[in-house]
Amino acid sequence: MTIRPIIEVPDKRLKTVSQPVAEVTDDTRALMDDMLDTMYDANGIGLAAIQVGVADRVIVMDISRREQWHGATEDDPEEADTGETGPRFFVNPEIVWVSEETRNYQEGCLSVPGFYDDVARPAQCRVAFLDYDGKAQELACDGLLATCIQHEMDHLEGIVFLDRLSRLKRQMVLKKIAKAERDTARAE
Ligand code: GNR
Ligand code: NI
């Protein structure tokens, strides 16, 4: 298990569309183990493989320590999983259903450090995927789990949450990041 460096915007690799995994092998599991370590080390609740530079459709998640990011979530329908159970692994995930109801959540991203903003997404969804053992699963998601899985699946399409904000906001953030980078470069 190794902590890998997390790539950050404006790194172009974050715009890559990730490729399906042909089969869940020991190599896939080694990647997922590293990703989980990397995510915990960075105090994140989810991580897509492209954030460590691997363009495979692989996601790890653990929202049970979400207090680091959020207060409690409210009203979760009984059927849907709010995901308070420790590590989860998703290979080749597909969203098979989304609710019409949307919800605003203040999102952050390990690839956009220090910036948070509200994003509206479907409040609930169902996801089909392969688990850590390569077994096909389906999961009904609600609350932060629904938000987080959709945020991670965006990464698989080369999308970061900034892309879901207004052009003005996105450009403001990208300018700030560029300026911070220039300032560090000058200081070195
Ligand atoms: O750690 C993370 N927290 C978070 C909070 C609200 C909505 C989405 C997320 S995902 C983020 C980790 C990350 O960047 N995953 O890609
Ligand atoms: Ni992210």
Side-chain angles (χ1 to χ4, degrees), residues 44-47 51 69-70 106-110 147-148 151-152 155:
I45 56 172
L47 194 74
Q51 294 180 277
W69 287 85
H70 293 277
Q106 189 173 66
E107 299 197 11
C109 181
L110 294 173
T147 297
C148 193
H151 172 115
E152 302 311 336
H155 279 300

Side-chain angles (χ1 to χ4, degrees), residues 45-47 61 63 143-153:
I45 56 172
L47 194 74
M61 207 177 293
I63 66 165
L144 183 57
L145 181 62
T147 297
C148 193
I149 189 80
Q150 292 176 76
H151 172 115
E152 302 311 336
M153 290 192 56

Side-chain angles (χ1 to χ4, degrees), residues 38-68:
T38 303
M39 183 191 82
Y40 285 140
D41 178 66
N43 286 323
I45 56 172
L47 194 74
I50 195 64
Q51 294 180 277
V52 294
V54 178
D56 287 349
R57 300 185 82 83
V58 173
I59 289 166
V60 301
M61 207 177 293
D62 184 347
I63 66 165
S64 58
R65 300 189 304 169
R66 76 202 152 104
E67 296 74 25
Q68 288 166 330

Side-chain angles (χ1 to χ4, degrees), residues 66 72-84 103 105 123-124 141-146:
R66 76 202 152 104
T73 48
E74 335 75 50
D75 63 83
D76 302 308
E78 281 143 37
E79 303 261 328
D81 201 324
T82 50
E84 314 285 305
R103 179 191 300 228
Y105 235 109
Q124 287 103 23
C141 304
D142 193 6
L144 183 57
L145 181 62

